[in-house]
């Protein structure tokens, strides 16, 4: 043992320890033991590693040492040497209060160290990040920043509450803390700054509106009995000037919070005008569903914008369905007044994502609406044995009892269509039928199903005229 842990060997280990300030101990490995370390001649049996990375490094995730039994450590070894750090050290840094931080082993999808609540779904998979790569994604209501070491199967993940994005973004900065030992053995714990931006999201939205960066897509709505297209839901999307697509659940919420949602809605109405103009000349009178935020629903400007849309497109109010989420009906008394006024003008009103909000269903069903949309969360499991299957059946039964129309969202399997039809659900939309598409593709789809209709024969030329005018 003395030969393996003599003064020269200990000096070398101690030097590696000293020059890398984040390392608690550097040692020599032999048969599952640390036979010599920078702490001196203190053999410690550590057993086999918990994980082996793709590039051959061993990882111990919950290491105990005999001279510090109450503490837990992380060990990284290469078969000959091991570097040991305290389990809390990689995330021992000052971070904003709404941020969760973790160091991940990609080899086994395991959390090595974390600060605050951390969820497995925030972890990147190895194939999603190249060595040295990073990305920022939105998962649920969290903005997730992920960065991978360029030498190890390790990643750092920071999760920022999306609600605090604007307040925390500028200050969400962490340290880059390299640790390791000599002889080519280097470990890097990487901590990432979340989604650096040049401007706040509301300012970017204003700029995007000026630059006409927003565009519409159309999700066809079909009659389940014969899969005939009867209309489409208009969806707004945003592609920044640098090509980056911004998720709707990010910019819609930000626009609402900044008082910009009315401008976004007005832009959406402007963009769908051409498509609605062609549909207005179609003999089957297909319709468009337009989403209104709670702010839109209660704004006096919305009705004026709707009437302007009808005047410019030549469509009738019956060709427009207004989709409103349950949040828009928080004040049931006022909501009933607005719904009755809109329906009195010929518009149809639908409750979007029915059953997923916080409002009382008994209150919502008192509204004099035309249809409800069954949320994808319920449609996902209707052809399986699940609790949400019973909820979906109850929603359908309740809608039948009130003579409400129904549109099922997120249909992806033929078996779902069969169940929905057996329940008497008349309409649906989802990837089983078609993905969201451009206005031209949607109009072509509508035109293809009625080739002999005179109005349809004129549709392509009308669209051409509209393009020329634009």
């Amino acid at each position: 043992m003395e030969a393996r842990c003599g003064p020269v060997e200990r000096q070398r280990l101690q030097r590696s320890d000293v020059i890398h300030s984040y390392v608690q101990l550097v040692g020599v490995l032999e048969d599952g033991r640390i036979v010599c370390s920078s702490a001196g001649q203190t053999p410690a049996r550590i057993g086999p590693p918990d994980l082996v990375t793709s590039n051959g490094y061993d990882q111990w995730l919950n290491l105990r040492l005999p001279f510090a039994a109450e503490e837990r450590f992380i060990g990284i070894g290469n078969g000959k040497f091991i570097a040991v750090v305290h389990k809390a050290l990689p995330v021992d840094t000052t971070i904003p209060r709404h941020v969760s931080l973790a160091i991940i082993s990609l080899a086994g999808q395991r959390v090595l160290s974390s600060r605050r609540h951390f969820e497995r779904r925030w972890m990147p998979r190895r194939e999603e990040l190249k060595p040295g790569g990073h990305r920022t994604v939105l998962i649920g209501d969290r903005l997730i920043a992920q960065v991978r070491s360029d030498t190890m199967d390790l990643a750092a993940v920071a999760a920022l509450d999306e609600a605090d994005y604007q307040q925390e973004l500028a200050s969400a900065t962490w340290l880059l803390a390299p640790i390791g030992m000599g002889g080519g053995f280097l470990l890097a714990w990487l901590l990432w700054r979340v989604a650096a931006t040049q401007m706040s999201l509301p300012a970017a939205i204003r700029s995007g509106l000026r630059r006409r960066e927003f565009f519409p897509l159309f999700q066809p709505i079909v009659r389940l009995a014969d899969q005939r297209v009867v209309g489409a839901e208009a969806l707004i999307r945003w592609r920044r000037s640098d090509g980056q697509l911004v998720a709707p659940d990010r910019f819609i919420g930000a626009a609402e919070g900044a008082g910009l949602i009315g401008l976004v809605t007005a832009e959406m109405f402007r963009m769908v005008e051409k498509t609605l103009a062609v549909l207005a000349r179609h003999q089957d009178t297909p319709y468009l569903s337009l989403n209104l935020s709670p702010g839109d629903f209660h704004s006096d400007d919305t009705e004026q914008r709707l009437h302007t849309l009808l005047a410019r497109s030549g469509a009738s109010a019956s060709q427009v369905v207004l989709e409103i989420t349950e949040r828009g009906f928080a004040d049931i008394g006022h909501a009933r007044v607005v719904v009755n006024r809109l329906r009195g003008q010929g518009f149809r009103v639908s409750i979007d994502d029915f059953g997923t909000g916080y409002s009382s269903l008994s209150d919502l069903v008192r509204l004099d609406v035309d249809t409800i949309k069954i949320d994808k969360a319920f449609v996902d499991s209707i052809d399986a044995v699940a609790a949400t299957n019973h909820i979906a059946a109850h929603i359908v039964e309740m809608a039948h009892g009130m003579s409400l129309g129904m549109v099922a969202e997120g249909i992806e399997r033929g078996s779902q269509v069969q169940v929905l039809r057996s329940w008497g659900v008349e309409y649906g939309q989802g990837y089983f039928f078609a993905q969201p598409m451009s206005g031209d593709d949607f109009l072509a789809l509508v035109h293809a199903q009625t080739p002999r209709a005179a109005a349809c024969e004129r549709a392509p030329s009308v669209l051409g005229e509209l393009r020329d005018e634009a």
Side-chain angles (χ1 to χ4, degrees):
M1 176 67 66
E2 181 61 25
R4 293 299 311 274
C5 199
V8 176
E9 184 69 15
R10 286 202 303 272
Q11 186 177 15
R12 290 179 55 198
L13 297 174
Q14 288 167 356
R15 185 177 186 280
S16 295
D17 191 344
V18 168
I19 65 175
H20 299 97
S21 58
Y22 290 92
V23 177
Q24 267 70 55
L25 180 146
V26 179
V28 177
L29 288 174
E30 185 176 288
D31 298 328
R33 295 184 304 156
I34 300 176
V35 297
C36 184
S37 74
S38 54
Q41 188 174 330
T42 310
R45 177 166 293 280
I46 60 174
D50 297 300
L51 298 170
V52 179
T53 68
S54 60
N55 50 359
Y57 286 110
D58 300 325
Q59 295 181 357
W60 288 262
L61 307 183
N62 203 34
L63 197 60
R64 297 187 182 188
L65 299 175
F67 48 85
E70 70 280 6
E71 302 294 335
R72 297 294 180 270
F73 301 86
I74 298 170
I76 307 293
N78 65 353
K80 296 181 180 179
F81 301 96
I82 185 171
V84 177
V85 298
H86 195 280
K87 196 171 178 66
L89 182 62
V91 290
D92 184 17
T93 185
T94 301
I95 60 176
R97 58 191 176 89
H98 293 293
V99 173
S100 299
L101 191 63
I103 303 300
I104 307 300
S105 170
L106 297 175
Q109 288 291 289
R110 301 276 293 275
V111 176
L112 301 183
S113 187
S114 66
R115 280 278 297 278
R116 302 197 178 105
H117 171 71
F118 192 83
E119 298 182 16
R120 289 189 59 84
R121 62 186 179 134
W122 299 339
M123 295 184 187
R125 292 188 296 273
R126 182 187 292 162
E127 62 271 17
E128 293 174 334
L129 284 177
K130 296 180 180 179
H134 59 80
R135 67 172 189 163
T136 303
V137 295
L138 191 69
I139 301 177
D141 61 350
R142 292 279 184 143
L143 191 67
I144 310 298
Q146 303 165 337
V147 60
R148 180 175 174 178
S149 167
D150 57 358
T151 57
M152 303 287 292
D153 272 356
L154 297 171
V157 180
L160 173 64
D161 190 334
E162 177 67 6
D164 297 287
Y165 175 78
Q166 297 303 317
Q167 292 77 16
E168 302 286 8
L169 183 60
S171 61
T173 309
W174 294 277
L175 301 174
L176 175 64
I179 65 175
M181 59 178 296
F185 178 44
L186 181 62
L187 170 65
W189 297 113
L190 301 175
L191 307 178
W192 179 246
R193 176 174 179 169
V194 177
T197 58
Q198 296 180 343
M199 62 182 72
S200 69
L201 197 53
I205 291 173
R206 291 188 183 93
S207 175
L209 290 170
R210 289 194 303 269
R211 296 167 180 258
R212 298 285 174 88
E213 294 175 352
F214 292 87
F215 64 97
L217 292 178
F218 299 85
Q219 175 83 67
I221 299 172
V222 306
R223 186 165 54 213
L224 297 183
D226 56 8
Q227 297 190 19
R228 186 179 184 83
V229 176
V230 297
E233 178 182 358
L235 306 168
I236 190 166
R237 296 293 184 262
W238 182 17
R239 181 181 287 108
R240 304 277 307 265
S241 57
D242 60 1
Q244 176 192 7
L245 280 171
V246 183
D249 49 0
R250 272 197 62 202
F251 72 78
I252 294 296
E256 289 178 334
L260 299 174
I261 193 62
L263 298 178
V264 173
T265 301
E267 177 68 358
M268 185 62 175
F269 287 3
R270 183 194 68 80
M271 293 187 298
V272 303
E273 180 185 309
K274 297 177 183 179
T275 303
L276 189 58
V278 177
L279 296 181
R281 295 164 172 80
H282 197 282
Q283 65 176 11
D284 290 342
T285 59
Y287 67 88
L288 285 186
S289 280
L290 304 177
N291 291 281
L292 297 183
S293 73
D296 293 325
F297 181 59
H298 294 286
S299 172
D300 295 335
D301 294 335
T302 300
E303 289 184 43
Q304 180 58 50
R305 288 167 177 155
L306 284 168
H307 288 295
T308 299
L309 173 62
L310 296 183
R312 291 176 61 87
S313 66
S316 66
S318 62
Q319 286 184 275
V320 176
V321 176
L322 304 175
E323 295 190 16
I324 305 154
T325 62
E326 292 180 27
R327 289 191 298 124
F329 303 122
D331 183 346
I332 291 295
H334 184 258
R336 292 183 68 180
V337 172
V338 178
V339 168
N340 290 341
R341 187 167 66 243
L342 290 170
R343 295 188 74 240
Q345 296 168 9
F347 298 103
R348 288 180 284 170
V349 178
S350 177
I351 301 178
D352 195 14
D353 301 335
F354 187 79
T356 63
Y358 300 100
S359 303
S360 166
L361 294 185
S362 62
D363 284 338
L364 290 176
V365 296
R366 291 184 2 238
L367 293 167
D368 190 16
V369 299
D370 297 277
T371 60
I372 62 172
K373 298 195 77 173
I374 305 173
D375 188 74
K376 185 180 186 298
F378 302 120
V379 174
D380 277 343
S381 60
I382 63 172
D383 53 352
V385 179
T388 47
N389 189 337
H390 299 296
I391 297 174
H394 176 68
I395 290 173
V396 170
E397 182 181 358
M398 182 173 58
H400 280 310
M402 299 188 63
S403 299
L404 291 172
M406 287 173 281
V407 179
E409 296 182 290
I411 298 174
E412 296 180 350
R413 300 185 294 276
S415 55
Q416 293 171 330
V417 176
Q418 295 175 3
V419 173
L420 289 165
R421 287 182 59 183
S422 70
W423 287 355
V425 177
E426 193 172 2
Y427 302 103
Q429 65 185 94
Y431 285 8
F432 179 76
F433 306 109
Q435 296 188 24
M437 59 186 65
S438 69
D440 286 357
D441 288 342
F442 170 64
L443 291 172
L445 189 63
V446 172
H447 178 66
Q449 65 186 14
T450 54
R452 293 185 178 83
C456 243
E457 290 294 329
R458 172 149 172 74
S461 61
V462 170
L463 184 59
E465 293 167 10
L466 288 166
R467 286 180 188 145
D468 293 340
E469 292 174 8

